[in-house]
Amino acid sequence: MGLRKKIEHGGLKKNEELGKLIKHEDIVNYIKAQRLSCFGHIQRMPEARSAKKILKWNPLTTRPRGRPKYRWEDNMIEELGQLKIKIWLTCVQDRAKWKDVVEKAKTFN
C-alpha cells in the first residue's frame, strides 16, 4: 500500500495534523501529562482490577544484585516531585484537582 493510501486510511499523520491533535503544545509535556492522567486513573481503580494488581505486584523471587531498576510508578512520583506536588495520594482521589495537575504538567517548563 502506498504512502498516499495509508494517509487516506488514517494510518500516517502529517506534522500539521499532529499539531492540531495536541493543540500545538510541547510534545514532551503532552506525553508526560497523558502518562500522569493514566497514572491517576489507575490509582483510583479498585484493588481487584487487573491493571491495579499489575502495578502493585511484587515478584516472589529475589532480584539481581546492583541498583534496582526504575519502576513506572517511581518515574511518575519523580515527575510529580518536579511539579512540586507533595500530597499526590489525596490529590489523585479528587478528579478536579488531578485534572489541574495534568493541565499544569502540559505547560511545565
Side-chain angles (χ1 to χ4, degrees):
M1 181 184 296
L3 180 62
R4 186 167 291 150
K5 287 185 180 179
K6 284 184 182 179
I7 291 173
E8 289 172 1
H9 295 329
L12 298 175
K13 305 264 186 218
K14 293 184 179 181
N15 286 341
E16 296 84 27
E17 294 175 77
L18 292 173
K20 287 178 187 177
L21 284 175
I22 64 170
K23 299 176 184 140
H24 300 286
E25 297 172 358
D26 183 23
I27 189 71
V28 174
N29 288 345
Y30 181 80
I31 291 171
K32 283 183 181 183
Q34 292 293 70
R35 288 174 46 193
L36 281 173
S37 177
C38 181
F39 179 69
H41 176 69
I42 292 173
Q43 290 295 328
R44 285 189 300 272
M45 281 183 183
E47 296 293 327
R49 299 277 303 268
S50 53
K52 183 83 173 225
K53 285 181 184 178
I54 291 170
L55 182 68
K56 298 295 180 185
W57 177 72
N58 269 335
L60 300 175
T61 61
T62 58
R63 292 188 176 260
R65 291 178 52 190
R67 181 181 58 85
K69 294 184 178 178
Y70 262 150
R71 299 174 301 165
W72 184 69
E73 187 176 18
D74 296 334
N75 288 332
M76 294 294 102
I77 293 170
E78 184 179 319
E79 286 181 15
L80 288 168
Q82 290 174 354
L83 293 171
K84 295 183 174 66
I85 297 170
K86 304 287 184 216
I87 50 173
W88 64 269
L89 280 173
T90 56
C91 188
V92 165
Q93 299 305 321
D94 184 7
R95 287 176 188 255
K97 285 184 184 177
W98 192 251
K99 188 173 183 178
D100 292 339
V101 169
V102 172
E103 290 300 318
K104 183 179 176 182
K106 285 182 182 177
T107 59
F108 185 72
N109 287 327

